[in-house]
Amino acid sequence: MDELVCPGCRDLSKQVAELTAQVAELTRRLDEATRAGKRQAAPFRKGPPKPNPKPPGRKSGDVHGKHGHRSPPPPEQVAECHEADLPDACPHCRGRLVETGTAEQFQTEIPRQPLIRKFRIHIGHCEACGKRTQGRHPLQTSDALGAAASQVGPDAQTAAALLHTQMGLSHGKVASVFETLFGITLTRGASAQIGLRAATRLEPDYHLILGEVRASEQIAADETGWRIGGHPAWLHAWVADRATAYGVDSKRSADALERVIGADWSGVLSHDGFASYERFEGAIHQQCLAHVLRRARELLERGTRGAVRFPRQVIARFTEAIHWRNEYAPGTWTDDQRDAHGRSSTTACWNW
């Protein structure tokens, strides 16, 4: 049979196979580029300038808005007062100057000089049991003496923890900020130890937050990429009625959430459709509308001709549902209006 196939057909089949493999490779690269655009760095990729950008600056008229002038501080907060004397002569013609009055200007500055405290620790022993005891001042952050007697104060430790956890600075950059702005020498290890001590102190509060999540009637769960010692991991976020909890785990699966709420949790669980969440069989599953709309818009971008009809209907229907929810939540609609609108929306869904 192979002898009956003409050489041209054989070459055409080979070319089709090569083009098919090329299309598959280009599709894979396009999917990777699309996913990369949705990562945390995507908002900072602004792309090309807009063809007709809005003019910079404030709007005129009633929409001008308020200016953010800094109000003068109260007198009790003024720590320094400096005199800005007149020069010896007029800077323009060197004539004699006559003072006619004074005006005030205020300046709020970062304290550059570190505040170094010295604690004289009183040490004693019990006459009854002989055990050693030492005093403790409220501003002390540790009872360590000897080689570990030089420490960082509570405000500085708070700043280091905030720079690392909330601002996202590495421990090396935290140390650089302290050296550059405040003249305080801080090592990477010290910054890491500060974070660990803060985590230990806040652990009871973290468990209280997890308890609020466990007792909530509804939870919205999501996860995003993270790093643990340079290795890939996942940051899990669980938004409940009155609390939001985070957990870092090496896996994306719902194991982390199950350890918090248990597999028999029976509330409303909102997520992106990740199959791992289906283990909560007693829960009512609500797929995140933002993910549904995002997938529908992706289908709309790639669709042609009649294939664009379905994603357009999905976008219109779910957008209407979101507006409906926003109107009902603050009490704009009554229960009767809600029920009537729900029946009409259900009828429209059957007409898709």
Side-chain angles (χ1 to χ4, degrees):
M1 294 296 293
D2 293 340
E3 296 178 355
L4 299 178
V5 179
C6 65
C9 294
R10 188 180 298 107
D11 294 340
L12 183 60
S13 299
K14 182 179 179 181
Q15 186 178 5
V16 169
E18 292 175 353
L19 291 176
T20 301
Q22 185 178 3
V23 169
E25 175 64 19
L26 292 176
T27 302
R28 183 187 65 81
R29 294 183 181 182
L30 177 60
D31 291 339
E32 290 181 356
T34 303
R35 289 194 297 269
K38 296 175 183 178
R39 293 173 185 148
Q40 290 87 342
F44 303 99
R45 302 175 184 174
K46 297 183 179 180
K50 296 181 179 179
N52 298 310
K54 295 181 180 181
R58 291 176 173 267
K59 298 180 180 180
S60 59
D62 296 336
V63 294
H64 179 75
K66 296 181 179 179
H67 287 276
H69 295 307
R70 183 183 297 276
S71 301
E76 61 271 13
Q77 291 186 359
V78 177
E80 299 178 359
C81 184
H82 302 274
E83 299 293 334
D85 297 325
L86 287 172
D88 296 335
C90 175
H92 305 288
C93 67
R94 308 302 299 172
R96 180 174 175 271
L97 294 175
V98 178
E99 184 170 329
T100 58
T102 60
E104 292 183 340
Q105 183 191 82
F106 298 92
Q107 182 185 87
T108 302
E109 180 60 290
I110 298 175
R112 181 66 176 83
Q113 184 68 29
L115 174 62
I116 299 178
R117 298 188 179 101
K118 177 181 177 180
F119 299 97
R120 296 183 68 248
I121 311 298
H122 295 258
I123 302 173
H125 66 276
C126 177
E127 292 182 348
C129 65
K131 291 186 176 181
R132 178 185 180 278
T133 303
Q134 68 182 51
R136 174 71 181 257
H137 191 276
L139 290 176
Q140 282 182 255
T141 56
S142 172
D143 289 326
L145 300 176
S150 184
Q151 303 158 6
V152 180
D155 290 342
Q157 291 195 25
T158 303
L162 290 176
L163 288 173
H164 176 63
T165 57
Q166 293 192 13
M167 309 306 176
L169 271 65
S170 65
H171 293 300
K173 290 183 178 180
V174 171
S176 178
V177 167
F178 268 68
E179 177 68 29
T180 305
L181 297 184
F182 308 117
I184 298 176
T185 301
L186 191 72
T187 63
R188 291 182 176 87
S191 177
Q193 289 296 325
I194 288 172
L196 292 174
R197 284 196 295 267
T200 301
R201 296 188 185 101
L202 295 175
E203 187 174 0
D205 298 292
Y206 179 66
H207 285 292
L208 289 177
I209 295 174
L210 294 181
E212 288 286 347
V213 173
R214 189 179 303 110
S216 177
E217 296 181 356
Q218 54 185 2
I219 298 174
D222 201 4
E223 59 283 329
T224 187
W226 201 253
R227 290 288 185 274
I228 300 178
H231 299 284
W234 294 89
L235 172 66
H236 296 260
W238 309 303
V239 181
D241 294 331
R242 300 198 309 165
T244 299
Y246 298 91
V248 178
D249 195 87
S250 59
K251 298 180 181 179
R252 187 192 174 190
S253 70
D255 293 346
L257 180 58
E258 183 178 348
R259 290 194 293 267
V260 175
I261 63 176
D264 58 345
W265 186 80
S266 59
V268 178
L269 182 60
S270 175
H271 52 85
D272 58 1
F274 186 37
S276 182
Y277 290 111
E278 299 298 331
R279 69 179 63 186
F280 299 100
E281 298 180 355
I284 300 175
H285 294 266
Q286 168 65 55
Q287 188 159 153
C288 174
L289 298 186
H291 287 82
V292 175
L293 290 172
R294 188 181 302 123
R295 287 193 287 267
R297 293 189 181 101
E298 291 176 354
L299 291 175
L300 184 60
E301 291 176 358
R302 300 180 181 181
T304 58
R305 304 181 67 180
V308 302
R309 183 179 178 185
F310 178 72
R312 284 177 178 172
Q313 291 176 329
V314 171
I315 293 172
R317 185 60 60 190
F318 279 96
T319 302
E320 180 187 8
I322 292 174
H323 290 309
W324 175 38
R325 189 278 311 273
N326 293 339
E327 288 292 330
Y328 177 74
T332 306
W333 288 3
T334 63
D335 291 340
D336 294 338
Q337 289 175 317
R338 179 200 62 182
D339 295 339
H341 190 86
R343 287 192 296 271
S344 63
S345 299
T346 303
T347 304
C349 288
W350 287 109
N351 294 331
W352 278 15

